[in-house]
Structures are given as structure tokens and as C-alpha cells.
Amino acid sequence: MRLWWEVGVRSFRRASTYRLATASGVFTNTIFGYLRASILVFVAGAGGAAIGMTGEELVTFAFVSQGFLMIIGAFGDPELADRIRSGDVVIDLYRPADVQLWWMANWFGRAAFQLLARGLPPVVLGAMAFDLAWPDPWWHWPVFALSVLVASTLGFAIRFCANLSAFWLLDNRGVDQMVTLLMSFFAGLLLPITLFPAWLARVASLLPFASMVQLPVELYLGRHEGAAIVWVLTQQLLWLVALLGLGRALLVAATRRVVIQGG
Amino acid sequence: MAESPPVRQWRHEFVLIRRLIKARIRSDWQYRVSFIALMTSQAAFTALEFVTLLLILRLVPTIGGWTGAEVAMLYGLSALSFGVADMLFGSVERLSTYVQQGEFDRVLLRPVSPLLQLVALEFELRRAGKMVPPMLVLGWAVANVEIGWTPARALLLVAAVVSGSVIYAALWILSASVSFWAVASKEAANAFTYGGQFANEYPLHLYRNWIRVVLGWAIPLAFVAYVPVQSLLDAANPLGLPSWLVFTVPLVAAGTLASALTVWRTGIRHYQSTGS
């Protein structure tokens, strides 16, 4: 446990080194938030009650979902794949520590920094220009926090699988981008799934990506009550177990066939 | 090189750049599965932006008073221009890596334009995937908008694609130049390139005043698609654009490119290599 904590702390520090890069990332996320919010405000105004979401809810969705981008790895996390390509992964494999847990600790350290530095600012900056909704009653906050934690771990689990595909493909950027593509659409990052036509929303609900943005933001907005909240969290956890399991299976298969580049 | 006439120099550069680009394409082609997957996903990303527009049009009859065909044209024009600019000049965003690793020194040592070198060295054919969906949508929009196509209008459309590509290319050069001063702030430039492209796919009057002023008129993204489409299709005009504005599009494009190149050159003069 001590080891994972230390790995996480170092990863947090490493992520926090690049201040200017972080600030410029916040700037870009916020601009995108403003653009999406403006569009969604129009949709709510022109579409009326038939949309199923109020203008305030949609604007909140726009900014809160921007805050998710980094902690779920929406743009990919190629470090492990790069190490597989270069052969450096051998160092990960001969460490007396579990490879999946090592990278997970590394992910959490960085995600913790990004939650603070990249997750909160777009929401705060968004609240300055638009009326945003806040979780209500108070206990929706811890529920949302738990859901965010699972969402971030899901992001790790999926990217870990995508990265391990580099053992077979060497150049796994195609796989990685496909994941990014599916994630941005079916997580609700381009448009809230609530606004999808029923059949497409059904497809989205059968994929793990909804658990990464759409469902946590729904909890934030208080769109679920009582037992439904438990069901949302259960869904997220089931996907998490499945994808961590897949990652574990891939890791076992990969270490059996590993050929390290460079001799 | 001072003694060689400029024409010979240009031809020499052209041959060299072409050879470098060919080499890049061949090396990318070595990982075929990845190349095809990457190209497909580039196309799919661009297509998904249009799908999002369609999903919104399912909920509302028009987007800010613009019909489906008008918005399709807006998307097609903006995304196609962006695709062209991205394929030719999008790779200059790699400048930050060059500067960070001190590799830009090597680029400067060679007697070929640093800008063209970056374009050739980082050329990625897969970016061409981005042009496919907007071409299809633009084709559909041209056939479905309710105006008669005259040679003058067709010419205006072609001029708009060219000017739009020039504006986006200028934006890429401008945003890459930021790396000469603040190498870590590359991501902020994305707000203007990718953000601008995203903003441009929706009628400009949807945005709040200050976003519209900055992205639309200061950056001049409005001239890529909003101004030409409004004028060409006589679409709803809540901003009250004057009808002559569309004729300034090529001038604005040329002006934007000129300022971008000035900033780029200033940046190169300012460049001091990495510390260690």
C-alpha cells in the first residue's frame, strides 16, 4: 500500500510540474465549455420541454463534462504504449510490483492533480458567465465524488487495455484513437446522451462509456433518486470489474509472448 | 546560396520537400493497420461532428434560423477548409517538440525554409481522412440548397474554400509560433485552431458577444464559412452583415496569412535554443 501511495505522490508531482501547460489547458477546456454551453442554451430555448433537460442543466452538463476530460483520459495516455514500443516496458515487468496496479497508482496520482487543476476551473469559470446547477441536497456531493472516482478508474482500465494492444500491434495509435472516438461520442462529451434519439441512447447505455461522463453528471444534476442512484453506481462498478479483468487477462497473455525490442 | 537565382532555389526546395513528403508517406505505410485505422478515425471524428449537428436538428427545426441545408453548407465549408489546412500545415504544431528538444537548431542550419521543412518532416497523409466527410456533406448541400447555381456563385464557393484553407493555415502557423515564446502553452493555441473549427460549424450568432468578437472577427474565423454561406444562400442574418462583406473574404485571408508569417519570422528571430 505504501508503495502505491509513493508512486501516486510522484505522479502527482510530475503532473503538477507543468504549470503553464496546465493553465493553457484550462483555457482551452473553458473556451470549449463556453461554445458548447452557448449551443446547448440555444437548443434548450428552441426545443422547449420536449428536450427533457432544462437550459440550466444543459449548460451545467457542458462545463462539468469539460472537467472530466483529463481525469478519464479522453485524449489518450500513450506512455505505457510508448514504453512497449521502445522496449522500456521490460523495466515495468521485472519490478517486484504488479504492473497493472503500478500504472493505476500512477494514473490516480496524475488524475488527482488534474481533478484540481483541470477539472474544477472550467466549472468555476463557467459559473461566472452562466447559471450553473449544483448538487442538491448535500449528500449528492459524496455520491457524485464516488461516481467520479469510478469513472476515472474506468478511464484507466480502458486505456490500459488499449495500451497493451501495442504488444501485438507495436503501433497501437489506431486502436487508441478508436477508443477516443467512441468515448467522446458515447460518453456524452459531444452531446449529452439524453438528447440522443431513443435507439441511439439504447446503444450508448449498452457500452461502458456512458459510465464515464454521462452517468456521473446525471448524478451531479440529481436526475436519479433513491434506488436508481444505487443502480447507476452498480452499473459503473460492473463495467469497472469487467474492464480491469480484461486488462489483467491481456497482461497475462502479453507477458507470455513478450519480445523486448532492441535486444 | 546567395548567388543562385530565386527560381532555381524554389525549384530545389520544391523537389526536396516533395522527396521528404514521399519518404514520410512510405514510412507511415509500414504500419498499414495503424495507418488505415488512424485515417479512418480522423474521418470518423469529423463525421461525428456532423452527426452531432444532425442530432441537434432532430430536436430543433432550425439552428439559429438556419435550415438543415444551410447548416450543412456551413459545416462542409468550415470542415473542408480545416481539413485542407490541417493536412498541409497542421503538422507545424509539432514545433513545440522541436523547440523543447533543441531539434529546431538543426532545422535552422539547413538552407531551406524552416516552415516548409516542418511541413515536410511532419507530413501525415492520414490527416487527409478529415477532408472526406465535409466533401460529401458539401456536395449534398450544394445539391439541396434552394438557390440556382450560377457560375458566379460557384466561383464564390471555390474562392471560399481556398480562402478558408488559407485562414486556417495561417491560424496553424500563428498558433505554432507561440512555441517560440512559451513552449508549454501549445494547448492554449488549440482553443483557436480546434476550438475555432468547432465554433465555425454553428452559426456565429449563437455565441455570446465577446466570443463572437474574438473568434469570429478578431481571429477572423467568420470569414471562413459564416460570411460566405450567409451571403451565398441569403440565410437568416441577425447580425446584419452588409452584402459587400463577402467580397473581402480573399483579402482577409491574405492579410491573416501575411500577419501569421510575420509573427513566425519574428519568432524565429526570437528563438534562442534550449538552455541545456
Side-chain angles (χ1 to χ4, degrees), chain A residues 20-21 24-25 27-29 31-32 34-36 38-39 42-43 46-47 51 70 75 118 129-130 169-175 177-178 180-181 184-185 190-191 195-197 200, chain B residues 31 34 37-38 40-42 44-45 48 51-52 55-56 58-64 126 182 184-192 194-195 198-199 202 206-208 210-211 215:
Chain A
L20 188 58
S24 70
F27 173 74
T28 300
N29 293 156
I31 292 287
F32 265 96
Y34 279 135
L35 294 173
R36 283 189 202 287
S38 305
I39 293 163
F42 161 76
V43 173
I51 305 279
M70 299 308 288
F75 302 119
R118 299 281 302 262
F130 294 89
L169 301 173
L170 272 187
D171 183 355
N172 79 321
R173 287 175 305 168
V175 172
Q177 281 221 359
M178 285 295 173
T180 303
L181 183 77
S184 50
F185 191 68
L190 293 179
L191 195 71
L195 304 191
F196 285 10
L200 197 58
Chain B
Y31 296 99
S34 196
L38 282 172
T40 314
S41 67
Q42 297 258 354
F45 266 113
L48 274 187
V51 169
T52 306
L55 290 178
I56 290 179
R58 195 185 61 93
L59 300 169
V60 293
T62 64
I63 297 188
R126 61 184 153 91
S185 52
K186 177 186 145 199
E187 222 182 318
N190 285 349
F192 301 106
Y194 292 110
F198 172 70
Y202 296 80
L206 286 191
Y207 305 116
R208 296 191 168 198
W210 62 271
I211 301 185
L215 282 184

